[in-house]
Amino acid sequence: MSEQRFSDWLREQCEPGWTAVVTHPFATAITTGEAADDDMRRYLEQDFQFVDSFTALLGAAVASADSFEARVPYGRFLGQVATTEEKTYFHRALEALGGRTDAPLEPVTASFRQLMDQARVSQDYPLIVAVLCVAEWTYLGWASRAAEPLPERFVHREWIELHEGPEFRAWVGFLRGELDRLGAALDGEGRRRVLETFGQAVELERRFFDMALG
């Protein structure tokens, strides 16, 4: 029997929270195009507040990774976040929904940004990967549940498309692979610290979706 992947072990340790995120009623409503405008606006206003902290966390991953081969995917994705369709999506979607890019932080948004900033400042590569992996893997989890045809309205359809597809799956696969590789070298205390951070991120993802429903 093959040894269990560290990333799978982390996910299993975070049940039922993990499943609560990827099957959350709000996430499901996005996949079906039924997310209410007010909920979608509130959600995207808050999600936009992560862009700076998330970008800084990617930069910390570049700096703290233990090999050139590991640094390259972070640098590539960092460029995509800063310059490609995700950034333009926020502005187009918030304009369509009557939202704003400078919305006051909800408590859960502040808590999630604090977790990202703590991981960044720590320069502890496994903890940085843990936060990034939860953020991306949970989104692939709910977005991959969307059935064809995708919703017609771009605020739903494009958000799904940004978190599904071969490139995004490869990115999540890289993050999981890094966790698996790093986990093999961690002692019991190191694994406990990664699990604690991973679990905090999962719980914040669940609370963030709860917030969207008001």
PDB file of all heavy atoms in Angstrom, residues 146-180:
ATOM      1  N   ALA A 146     -18.719  22.778 -10.790  1.00  0.00           N
ATOM      2  CA  ALA A 146     -19.634  23.464 -11.710  1.00  0.00           C
ATOM      3  C   ALA A 146     -19.922  22.585 -12.923  1.00  0.00           C
ATOM      4  O   ALA A 146     -19.014  21.997 -13.512  1.00  0.00           O
ATOM      5  CB  ALA A 146     -19.043  24.792 -12.159  1.00  0.00           C
ATOM      6  N   ALA A 147     -21.181  22.494 -13.279  1.00  0.00           N
ATOM      7  CA  ALA A 147     -21.591  21.668 -14.415  1.00  0.00           C
ATOM      8  C   ALA A 147     -21.712  22.530 -15.669  1.00  0.00           C
ATOM      9  O   ALA A 147     -22.032  23.720 -15.606  1.00  0.00           O
ATOM     10  CB  ALA A 147     -22.927  20.987 -14.118  1.00  0.00           C
ATOM     11  N   GLU A 148     -21.436  21.916 -16.804  1.00  0.00           N
ATOM     12  CA  GLU A 148     -21.657  22.591 -18.083  1.00  0.00           C
ATOM     13  C   GLU A 148     -23.143  22.552 -18.424  1.00  0.00           C
ATOM     14  O   GLU A 148     -23.824  21.578 -18.111  1.00  0.00           O
ATOM     15  CB  GLU A 148     -20.851  21.898 -19.182  1.00  0.00           C
ATOM     16  CG  GLU A 148     -19.348  21.967 -18.978  1.00  0.00           C
ATOM     17  CD  GLU A 148     -18.766  23.338 -19.270  1.00  0.00           C
ATOM     18  OE1 GLU A 148     -19.515  24.199 -19.819  1.00  0.00           O
ATOM     19  OE2 GLU A 148     -17.598  23.559 -18.943  1.00  0.00           O
ATOM     20  N   PRO A 149     -23.669  23.588 -19.076  1.00  0.00           N
ATOM     21  CA  PRO A 149     -22.976  24.826 -19.421  1.00  0.00           C
ATOM     22  C   PRO A 149     -22.812  25.732 -18.203  1.00  0.00           C
ATOM     23  O   PRO A 149     -23.671  25.732 -17.306  1.00  0.00           O
ATOM     24  CB  PRO A 149     -23.901  25.458 -20.461  1.00  0.00           C
ATOM     25  CG  PRO A 149     -25.276  24.985 -20.064  1.00  0.00           C
ATOM     26  CD  PRO A 149     -25.077  23.582 -19.542  1.00  0.00           C
ATOM     27  N   LEU A 150     -21.735  26.484 -18.168  1.00  0.00           N
ATOM     28  CA  LEU A 150     -21.503  27.407 -17.064  1.00  0.00           C
ATOM     29  C   LEU A 150     -22.510  28.553 -17.126  1.00  0.00           C
ATOM     30  O   LEU A 150     -23.113  28.805 -18.172  1.00  0.00           O
ATOM     31  CB  LEU A 150     -20.077  27.964 -17.137  1.00  0.00           C
ATOM     32  CG  LEU A 150     -18.947  26.948 -16.947  1.00  0.00           C
ATOM     33  CD1 LEU A 150     -17.596  27.663 -17.031  1.00  0.00           C
ATOM     34  CD2 LEU A 150     -19.081  26.198 -15.633  1.00  0.00           C
ATOM     35  N   PRO A 151     -22.708  29.249 -16.016  1.00  0.00           N
ATOM     36  CA  PRO A 151     -23.659  30.372 -16.012  1.00  0.00           C
ATOM     37  C   PRO A 151     -23.342  31.395 -17.100  1.00  0.00           C
ATOM     38  O   PRO A 151     -22.176  31.634 -17.425  1.00  0.00           O
ATOM     39  CB  PRO A 151     -23.472  30.974 -14.612  1.00  0.00           C
ATOM     40  CG  PRO A 151     -22.956  29.851 -13.780  1.00  0.00           C
ATOM     41  CD  PRO A 151     -22.105  29.031 -14.684  1.00  0.00           C
ATOM     42  N   GLU A 152     -24.368  31.989 -17.647  1.00  0.00           N
ATOM     43  CA  GLU A 152     -24.181  32.966 -18.727  1.00  0.00           C
ATOM     44  C   GLU A 152     -23.571  34.265 -18.217  1.00  0.00           C
ATOM     45  O   GLU A 152     -22.754  34.876 -18.893  1.00  0.00           O
ATOM     46  CB  GLU A 152     -25.520  33.257 -19.409  1.00  0.00           C
ATOM     47  CG  GLU A 152     -26.064  32.101 -20.237  1.00  0.00           C
ATOM     48  CD  GLU A 152     -27.302  32.504 -21.011  1.00  0.00           C
ATOM     49  OE1 GLU A 152     -27.629  33.718 -21.033  1.00  0.00           O
ATOM     50  OE2 GLU A 152     -27.944  31.617 -21.594  1.00  0.00           O
ATOM     51  N   ARG A 153     -23.961  34.687 -17.026  1.00  0.00           N
ATOM     52  CA  ARG A 153     -23.513  35.989 -16.535  1.00  0.00           C
ATOM     53  C   ARG A 153     -22.024  35.937 -16.190  1.00  0.00           C
ATOM     54  O   ARG A 153     -21.574  35.027 -15.494  1.00  0.00           O
ATOM     55  CB  ARG A 153     -24.331  36.381 -15.315  1.00  0.00           C
ATOM     56  CG  ARG A 153     -24.247  37.861 -14.991  1.00  0.00           C
ATOM     57  CD  ARG A 153     -25.244  38.249 -13.955  1.00  0.00           C
ATOM     58  NE  ARG A 153     -25.170  39.669 -13.668  1.00  0.00           N
ATOM     59  CZ  ARG A 153     -25.549  40.203 -12.527  1.00  0.00           C
ATOM     60  NH1 ARG A 153     -26.061  39.424 -11.577  1.00  0.00           N
ATOM     61  NH2 ARG A 153     -25.453  41.496 -12.328  1.00  0.00           N
ATOM     62  N   PHE A 154     -21.291  36.936 -16.655  1.00  0.00           N
ATOM     63  CA  PHE A 154     -19.831  36.860 -16.540  1.00  0.00           C
ATOM     64  C   PHE A 154     -19.355  36.904 -15.095  1.00  0.00           C
ATOM     65  O   PHE A 154     -18.302  36.337 -14.769  1.00  0.00           O
ATOM     66  CB  PHE A 154     -19.162  37.971 -17.361  1.00  0.00           C
ATOM     67  CG  PHE A 154     -18.994  39.282 -16.634  1.00  0.00           C
ATOM     68  CD1 PHE A 154     -17.840  39.545 -15.911  1.00  0.00           C
ATOM     69  CD2 PHE A 154     -19.983  40.252 -16.687  1.00  0.00           C
ATOM     70  CE1 PHE A 154     -17.672  40.750 -15.239  1.00  0.00           C
ATOM     71  CE2 PHE A 154     -19.831  41.462 -16.029  1.00  0.00           C
ATOM     72  CZ  PHE A 154     -18.670  41.714 -15.299  1.00  0.00           C
ATOM     73  N   VAL A 155     -20.102  37.559 -14.193  1.00  0.00           N
ATOM     74  CA  VAL A 155     -19.631  37.656 -12.816  1.00  0.00           C
ATOM     75  C   VAL A 155     -19.544  36.280 -12.159  1.00  0.00           C
ATOM     76  O   VAL A 155     -18.717  36.057 -11.270  1.00  0.00           O
ATOM     77  CB  VAL A 155     -20.510  38.602 -11.964  1.00  0.00           C
ATOM     78  CG1 VAL A 155     -20.419  40.031 -12.465  1.00  0.00           C
ATOM     79  CG2 VAL A 155     -21.948  38.131 -11.907  1.00  0.00           C
ATOM     80  N   HIS A 156     -20.383  35.355 -12.601  1.00  0.00           N
ATOM     81  CA  HIS A 156     -20.305  33.979 -12.101  1.00  0.00           C
ATOM     82  C   HIS A 156     -19.377  33.137 -12.965  1.00  0.00           C
ATOM     83  O   HIS A 156     -18.479  32.461 -12.454  1.00  0.00           O
ATOM     84  CB  HIS A 156     -21.700  33.353 -12.079  1.00  0.00           C
ATOM     85  CG  HIS A 156     -22.705  34.116 -11.292  1.00  0.00           C
ATOM     86  ND1 HIS A 156     -23.863  34.617 -11.862  1.00  0.00           N
ATOM     87  CD2 HIS A 156     -22.733  34.495  -9.999  1.00  0.00           C
ATOM     88  CE1 HIS A 156     -24.566  35.251 -10.943  1.00  0.00           C
ATOM     89  NE2 HIS A 156     -23.903  35.199  -9.801  1.00  0.00           N
ATOM     90  N   ARG A 157     -19.596  33.178 -14.280  1.00  0.00           N
ATOM     91  CA  ARG A 157     -18.860  32.291 -15.189  1.00  0.00           C
ATOM     92  C   ARG A 157     -17.355  32.526 -15.131  1.00  0.00           C
ATOM     93  O   ARG A 157     -16.570  31.574 -15.002  1.00  0.00           O
ATOM     94  CB  ARG A 157     -19.360  32.496 -16.619  1.00  0.00           C
ATOM     95  CG  ARG A 157     -18.722  31.535 -17.627  1.00  0.00           C
ATOM     96  CD  ARG A 157     -19.083  31.886 -19.054  1.00  0.00           C
ATOM     97  NE  ARG A 157     -18.488  33.140 -19.501  1.00  0.00           N
ATOM     98  CZ  ARG A 157     -19.152  34.295 -19.634  1.00  0.00           C
ATOM     99  NH1 ARG A 157     -20.456  34.362 -19.377  1.00  0.00           N
ATOM    100  NH2 ARG A 157     -18.532  35.397 -20.036  1.00  0.00           N
ATOM    101  N   GLU A 158     -16.927  33.775 -15.199  1.00  0.00           N
ATOM    102  CA  GLU A 158     -15.494  34.034 -15.250  1.00  0.00           C
ATOM    103  C   GLU A 158     -14.812  33.728 -13.921  1.00  0.00           C
ATOM    104  O   GLU A 158     -13.645  33.327 -13.896  1.00  0.00           O
ATOM    105  CB  GLU A 158     -15.225  35.478 -15.672  1.00  0.00           C
ATOM    106  CG  GLU A 158     -15.580  35.741 -17.129  1.00  0.00           C
ATOM    107  CD  GLU A 158     -15.146  37.120 -17.586  1.00  0.00           C
ATOM    108  OE1 GLU A 158     -14.241  37.718 -16.944  1.00  0.00           O
ATOM    109  OE2 GLU A 158     -15.699  37.614 -18.581  1.00  0.00           O
ATOM    110  N   TRP A 159     -15.528  33.883 -12.814  1.00  0.00           N
ATOM    111  CA  TRP A 159     -14.940  33.543 -11.514  1.00  0.00           C
ATOM    112  C   TRP A 159     -14.710  32.036 -11.415  1.00  0.00           C
ATOM    113  O   TRP A 159     -13.700  31.580 -10.872  1.00  0.00           O
ATOM    114  CB  TRP A 159     -15.835  34.035 -10.390  1.00  0.00           C
ATOM    115  CG  TRP A 159     -15.199  34.023  -9.033  1.00  0.00           C
ATOM    116  CD1 TRP A 159     -15.625  33.347  -7.930  1.00  0.00           C
ATOM    117  CD2 TRP A 159     -14.028  34.749  -8.618  1.00  0.00           C
ATOM    118  NE1 TRP A 159     -14.795  33.593  -6.865  1.00  0.00           N
ATOM    119  CE2 TRP A 159     -13.814  34.453  -7.261  1.00  0.00           C
ATOM    120  CE3 TRP A 159     -13.145  35.616  -9.267  1.00  0.00           C
ATOM    121  CZ2 TRP A 159     -12.742  34.987  -6.538  1.00  0.00           C
ATOM    122  CZ3 TRP A 159     -12.078  36.143  -8.547  1.00  0.00           C
ATOM    123  CH2 TRP A 159     -11.890  35.829  -7.207  1.00  0.00           C
ATOM    124  N   ILE A 160     -15.635  31.280 -11.965  1.00  0.00           N
ATOM    125  CA  ILE A 160     -15.446  29.825 -12.031  1.00  0.00           C
ATOM    126  C   ILE A 160     -14.248  29.494 -12.918  1.00  0.00           C
ATOM    127  O   ILE A 160     -13.368  28.701 -12.538  1.00  0.00           O
ATOM    128  CB  ILE A 160     -16.708  29.128 -12.572  1.00  0.00           C
ATOM    129  CG1 ILE A 160     -17.899  29.344 -11.642  1.00  0.00           C
ATOM    130  CG2 ILE A 160     -16.461  27.630 -12.765  1.00  0.00           C
ATOM    131  CD1 ILE A 160     -19.235  28.983 -12.264  1.00  0.00           C
ATOM    132  N   GLU A 161     -14.200  30.108 -14.089  1.00  0.00           N
ATOM    133  CA  GLU A 161     -13.143  29.799 -15.054  1.00  0.00           C
ATOM    134  C   GLU A 161     -11.757  30.160 -14.540  1.00  0.00           C
ATOM    135  O   GLU A 161     -10.761  29.500 -14.878  1.00  0.00           O
ATOM    136  CB  GLU A 161     -13.410  30.529 -16.379  1.00  0.00           C
ATOM    137  CG  GLU A 161     -14.630  29.987 -17.125  1.00  0.00           C
ATOM    138  CD  GLU A 161     -15.010  30.824 -18.329  1.00  0.00           C
ATOM    139  OE1 GLU A 161     -14.616  32.013 -18.390  1.00  0.00           O
ATOM    140  OE2 GLU A 161     -15.721  30.299 -19.202  1.00  0.00           O
ATOM    141  N   LEU A 162     -11.675  31.188 -13.694  1.00  0.00           N
ATOM    142  CA  LEU A 162     -10.392  31.569 -13.121  1.00  0.00           C
ATOM    143  C   LEU A 162      -9.865  30.524 -12.144  1.00  0.00           C
ATOM    144  O   LEU A 162      -8.664  30.498 -11.840  1.00  0.00           O
ATOM    145  CB  LEU A 162     -10.511  32.926 -12.408  1.00  0.00           C
ATOM    146  CG  LEU A 162     -10.543  34.155 -13.308  1.00  0.00           C
ATOM    147  CD1 LEU A 162     -11.002  35.375 -12.532  1.00  0.00           C
ATOM    148  CD2 LEU A 162      -9.163  34.396 -13.924  1.00  0.00           C
ATOM    149  N   HIS A 163     -10.759  29.670 -11.640  1.00  0.00           N
ATOM    150  CA  HIS A 163     -10.368  28.703 -10.612  1.00  0.00           C
ATOM    151  C   HIS A 163     -10.596  27.264 -11.055  1.00  0.00           C
ATOM    152  O   HIS A 163     -10.734  26.354 -10.238  1.00  0.00           O
ATOM    153  CB  HIS A 163     -11.124  29.005  -9.313  1.00  0.00           C
ATOM    154  CG  HIS A 163     -10.809  30.368  -8.777  1.00  0.00           C
ATOM    155  ND1 HIS A 163     -11.654  31.451  -8.939  1.00  0.00           N
ATOM    156  CD2 HIS A 163      -9.709  30.835  -8.141  1.00  0.00           C
ATOM    157  CE1 HIS A 163     -11.099  32.513  -8.400  1.00  0.00           C
ATOM    158  NE2 HIS A 163      -9.923  32.181  -7.905  1.00  0.00           N
ATOM    159  N   GLU A 164     -10.626  27.067 -12.355  1.00  0.00           N
ATOM    160  CA  GLU A 164     -10.771  25.743 -12.936  1.00  0.00           C
ATOM    161  C   GLU A 164      -9.980  25.712 -14.247  1.00  0.00           C
ATOM    162  O   GLU A 164      -9.587  26.734 -14.752  1.00  0.00           O
ATOM    163  CB  GLU A 164     -12.254  25.456 -13.228  1.00  0.00           C
ATOM    164  CG  GLU A 164     -12.752  24.099 -12.725  1.00  0.00           C
ATOM    165  CD  GLU A 164     -12.031  22.935 -13.377  1.00  0.00           C
ATOM    166  OE1 GLU A 164     -12.239  22.638 -14.549  1.00  0.00           O
ATOM    167  OE2 GLU A 164     -11.220  22.330 -12.653  1.00  0.00           O
ATOM    168  N   GLY A 165      -9.734  24.524 -14.768  1.00  0.00           N
ATOM    169  CA  GLY A 165      -9.014  24.418 -16.030  1.00  0.00           C
ATOM    170  C   GLY A 165      -7.607  23.879 -15.837  1.00  0.00           C
ATOM    171  O   GLY A 165      -7.087  23.820 -14.717  1.00  0.00           O
ATOM    172  N   PRO A 166      -6.959  23.478 -16.917  1.00  0.00           N
ATOM    173  CA  PRO A 166      -5.655  22.814 -16.841  1.00  0.00           C
ATOM    174  C   PRO A 166      -4.575  23.626 -16.127  1.00  0.00           C
ATOM    175  O   PRO A 166      -3.808  23.076 -15.329  1.00  0.00           O
ATOM    176  CB  PRO A 166      -5.298  22.588 -18.318  1.00  0.00           C
ATOM    177  CG  PRO A 166      -6.606  22.559 -19.037  1.00  0.00           C
ATOM    178  CD  PRO A 166      -7.485  23.521 -18.309  1.00  0.00           C
ATOM    179  N   GLU A 167      -4.476  24.924 -16.414  1.00  0.00           N
ATOM    180  CA  GLU A 167      -3.418  25.732 -15.800  1.00  0.00           C
ATOM    181  C   GLU A 167      -3.618  25.849 -14.297  1.00  0.00           C
ATOM    182  O   GLU A 167      -2.657  25.734 -13.527  1.00  0.00           O
ATOM    183  CB  GLU A 167      -3.359  27.109 -16.448  1.00  0.00           C
ATOM    184  CG  GLU A 167      -2.822  27.101 -17.869  1.00  0.00           C
ATOM    185  CD  GLU A 167      -2.604  28.504 -18.402  1.00  0.00           C
ATOM    186  OE1 GLU A 167      -2.768  29.478 -17.633  1.00  0.00           O
ATOM    187  OE2 GLU A 167      -2.282  28.625 -19.599  1.00  0.00           O
ATOM    188  N   PHE A 168      -4.857  26.104 -13.871  1.00  0.00           N
ATOM    189  CA  PHE A 168      -5.091  26.249 -12.440  1.00  0.00           C
ATOM    190  C   PHE A 168      -4.918  24.905 -11.730  1.00  0.00           C
ATOM    191  O   PHE A 168      -4.382  24.848 -10.615  1.00  0.00           O
ATOM    192  CB  PHE A 168      -6.484  26.829 -12.174  1.00  0.00           C
ATOM    193  CG  PHE A 168      -6.669  27.294 -10.754  1.00  0.00           C
ATOM    194  CD1 PHE A 168      -6.094  28.473 -10.317  1.00  0.00           C
ATOM    195  CD2 PHE A 168      -7.413  26.543  -9.851  1.00  0.00           C
ATOM    196  CE1 PHE A 168      -6.252  28.902  -9.004  1.00  0.00           C
ATOM    197  CE2 PHE A 168      -7.576  26.962  -8.540  1.00  0.00           C
ATOM    198  CZ  PHE A 168      -6.988  28.149  -8.116  1.00  0.00           C
ATOM    199  N   ARG A 169      -5.341  23.819 -12.362  1.00  0.00           N
ATOM    200  CA  ARG A 169      -5.137  22.491 -11.777  1.00  0.00           C
ATOM    201  C   ARG A 169      -3.647  22.188 -11.619  1.00  0.00           C
ATOM    202  O   ARG A 169      -3.222  21.611 -10.615  1.00  0.00           O
ATOM    203  CB  ARG A 169      -5.805  21.425 -12.642  1.00  0.00           C
ATOM    204  CG  ARG A 169      -7.325  21.410 -12.523  1.00  0.00           C
ATOM    205  CD  ARG A 169      -7.958  20.359 -13.420  1.00  0.00           C
ATOM    206  NE  ARG A 169      -9.390  20.309 -13.219  1.00  0.00           N
ATOM    207  CZ  ARG A 169      -9.996  19.556 -12.317  1.00  0.00           C
ATOM    208  NH1 ARG A 169      -9.281  18.760 -11.538  1.00  0.00           N
ATOM    209  NH2 ARG A 169     -11.314  19.578 -12.194  1.00  0.00           N
ATOM    210  N   ALA A 170      -2.849  22.587 -12.608  1.00  0.00           N
ATOM    211  CA  ALA A 170      -1.409  22.373 -12.515  1.00  0.00           C
ATOM    212  C   ALA A 170      -0.801  23.191 -11.381  1.00  0.00           C
ATOM    213  O   ALA A 170       0.108  22.726 -10.671  1.00  0.00           O
ATOM    214  CB  ALA A 170      -0.749  22.728 -13.846  1.00  0.00           C
ATOM    215  N   TRP A 171      -1.288  24.403 -11.193  1.00  0.00           N
ATOM    216  CA  TRP A 171      -0.816  25.267 -10.101  1.00  0.00           C
ATOM    217  C   TRP A 171      -1.137  24.638  -8.747  1.00  0.00           C
ATOM    218  O   TRP A 171      -0.269  24.561  -7.866  1.00  0.00           O
ATOM    219  CB  TRP A 171      -1.458  26.640 -10.256  1.00  0.00           C
ATOM    220  CG  TRP A 171      -1.381  27.581  -9.098  1.00  0.00           C
ATOM    221  CD1 TRP A 171      -2.436  28.161  -8.464  1.00  0.00           C
ATOM    222  CD2 TRP A 171      -0.209  28.106  -8.462  1.00  0.00           C
ATOM    223  NE1 TRP A 171      -2.006  28.992  -7.460  1.00  0.00           N
ATOM    224  CE2 TRP A 171      -0.650  28.981  -7.446  1.00  0.00           C
ATOM    225  CE3 TRP A 171       1.157  27.914  -8.658  1.00  0.00           C
ATOM    226  CZ2 TRP A 171       0.252  29.667  -6.620  1.00  0.00           C
ATOM    227  CZ3 TRP A 171       2.052  28.604  -7.828  1.00  0.00           C
ATOM    228  CH2 TRP A 171       1.597  29.461  -6.822  1.00  0.00           C
ATOM    229  N   VAL A 172      -2.360  24.167  -8.578  1.00  0.00           N
ATOM    230  CA  VAL A 172      -2.728  23.499  -7.328  1.00  0.00           C
ATOM    231  C   VAL A 172      -1.906  22.221  -7.151  1.00  0.00           C
ATOM    232  O   VAL A 172      -1.457  21.903  -6.045  1.00  0.00           O
ATOM    233  CB  VAL A 172      -4.241  23.197  -7.302  1.00  0.00           C
ATOM    234  CG1 VAL A 172      -4.600  22.327  -6.093  1.00  0.00           C
ATOM    235  CG2 VAL A 172      -5.042  24.497  -7.277  1.00  0.00           C
ATOM    236  N   GLY A 173      -1.697  21.494  -8.240  1.00  0.00           N
ATOM    237  CA  GLY A 173      -0.876  20.294  -8.168  1.00  0.00           C
ATOM    238  C   GLY A 173       0.543  20.595  -7.716  1.00  0.00           C
ATOM    239  O   GLY A 173       1.136  19.817  -6.942  1.00  0.00           O
ATOM    240  N   PHE A 174       1.096  21.715  -8.178  1.00  0.00           N
ATOM    241  CA  PHE A 174       2.424  22.123  -7.730  1.00  0.00           C
ATOM    242  C   PHE A 174       2.423  22.398  -6.230  1.00  0.00           C
ATOM    243  O   PHE A 174       3.326  21.942  -5.503  1.00  0.00           O
ATOM    244  CB  PHE A 174       2.886  23.364  -8.498  1.00  0.00           C
ATOM    245  CG  PHE A 174       4.032  24.072  -7.850  1.00  0.00           C
ATOM    246  CD1 PHE A 174       5.313  23.543  -7.900  1.00  0.00           C
ATOM    247  CD2 PHE A 174       3.829  25.261  -7.165  1.00  0.00           C
ATOM    248  CE1 PHE A 174       6.379  24.188  -7.269  1.00  0.00           C
ATOM    249  CE2 PHE A 174       4.882  25.915  -6.541  1.00  0.00           C
ATOM    250  CZ  PHE A 174       6.167  25.373  -6.592  1.00  0.00           C
ATOM    251  N   LEU A 175       1.447  23.165  -5.742  1.00  0.00           N
ATOM    252  CA  LEU A 175       1.393  23.488  -4.321  1.00  0.00           C
ATOM    253  C   LEU A 175       1.244  22.229  -3.467  1.00  0.00           C
ATOM    254  O   LEU A 175       1.911  22.077  -2.436  1.00  0.00           O
ATOM    255  CB  LEU A 175       0.231  24.447  -4.044  1.00  0.00           C
ATOM    256  CG  LEU A 175       0.364  25.851  -4.637  1.00  0.00           C
ATOM    257  CD1 LEU A 175      -0.933  26.633  -4.467  1.00  0.00           C
ATOM    258  CD2 LEU A 175       1.533  26.606  -3.987  1.00  0.00           C
ATOM    259  N   ARG A 176       0.386  21.323  -3.897  1.00  0.00           N
ATOM    260  CA  ARG A 176       0.236  20.062  -3.166  1.00  0.00           C
ATOM    261  C   ARG A 176       1.543  19.267  -3.189  1.00  0.00           C
ATOM    262  O   ARG A 176       1.940  18.689  -2.178  1.00  0.00           O
ATOM    263  CB  ARG A 176      -0.888  19.224  -3.770  1.00  0.00           C
ATOM    264  CG  ARG A 176      -2.280  19.776  -3.546  1.00  0.00           C
ATOM    265  CD  ARG A 176      -3.326  18.758  -3.993  1.00  0.00           C
ATOM    266  NE  ARG A 176      -3.189  17.524  -3.230  1.00  0.00           N
ATOM    267  CZ  ARG A 176      -3.779  16.372  -3.532  1.00  0.00           C
ATOM    268  NH1 ARG A 176      -4.532  16.288  -4.614  1.00  0.00           N
ATOM    269  NH2 ARG A 176      -3.609  15.310  -2.781  1.00  0.00           N
ATOM    270  N   GLY A 177       2.199  19.245  -4.337  1.00  0.00           N
ATOM    271  CA  GLY A 177       3.462  18.531  -4.439  1.00  0.00           C
ATOM    272  C   GLY A 177       4.528  19.098  -3.520  1.00  0.00           C
ATOM    273  O   GLY A 177       5.319  18.344  -2.931  1.00  0.00           O
ATOM    274  N   GLU A 178       4.552  20.432  -3.385  1.00  0.00           N
ATOM    275  CA  GLU A 178       5.493  21.052  -2.468  1.00  0.00           C
ATOM    276  C   GLU A 178       5.186  20.672  -1.016  1.00  0.00           C
ATOM    277  O   GLU A 178       6.088  20.373  -0.230  1.00  0.00           O
ATOM    278  CB  GLU A 178       5.473  22.574  -2.625  1.00  0.00           C
ATOM    279  CG  GLU A 178       6.196  23.083  -3.847  1.00  0.00           C
ATOM    280  CD  GLU A 178       7.674  22.771  -3.801  1.00  0.00           C
ATOM    281  OE1 GLU A 178       8.434  23.541  -3.196  1.00  0.00           O
ATOM    282  OE2 GLU A 178       8.071  21.721  -4.369  1.00  0.00           O
ATOM    283  N   LEU A 179       3.901  20.671  -0.660  1.00  0.00           N
ATOM    284  CA  LEU A 179       3.548  20.237   0.697  1.00  0.00           C
ATOM    285  C   LEU A 179       3.963  18.793   0.935  1.00  0.00           C
ATOM    286  O   LEU A 179       4.491  18.452   2.004  1.00  0.00           O
ATOM    287  CB  LEU A 179       2.033  20.386   0.922  1.00  0.00           C
ATOM    288  CG  LEU A 179       1.509  21.728   1.404  1.00  0.00           C
ATOM    289  CD1 LEU A 179       0.007  21.654   1.623  1.00  0.00           C
ATOM    290  CD2 LEU A 179       2.199  22.172   2.692  1.00  0.00           C
ATOM    291  N   ASP A 180       3.718  17.937  -0.042  1.00  0.00           N
ATOM    292  CA  ASP A 180       4.098  16.528   0.094  1.00  0.00           C
ATOM    293  C   ASP A 180       5.613  16.387   0.277  1.00  0.00           C
ATOM    294  O   ASP A 180       6.084  15.637   1.135  1.00  0.00           O
ATOM    295  CB  ASP A 180       3.661  15.733  -1.135  1.00  0.00           C
ATOM    296  CG  ASP A 180       2.150  15.695  -1.321  1.00  0.00           C
ATOM    297  OD1 ASP A 180       1.427  15.920  -0.334  1.00  0.00           O
ATOM    298  OD2 ASP A 180       1.709  15.457  -2.451  1.00  0.00           O
TER     299      ASP A 180
END
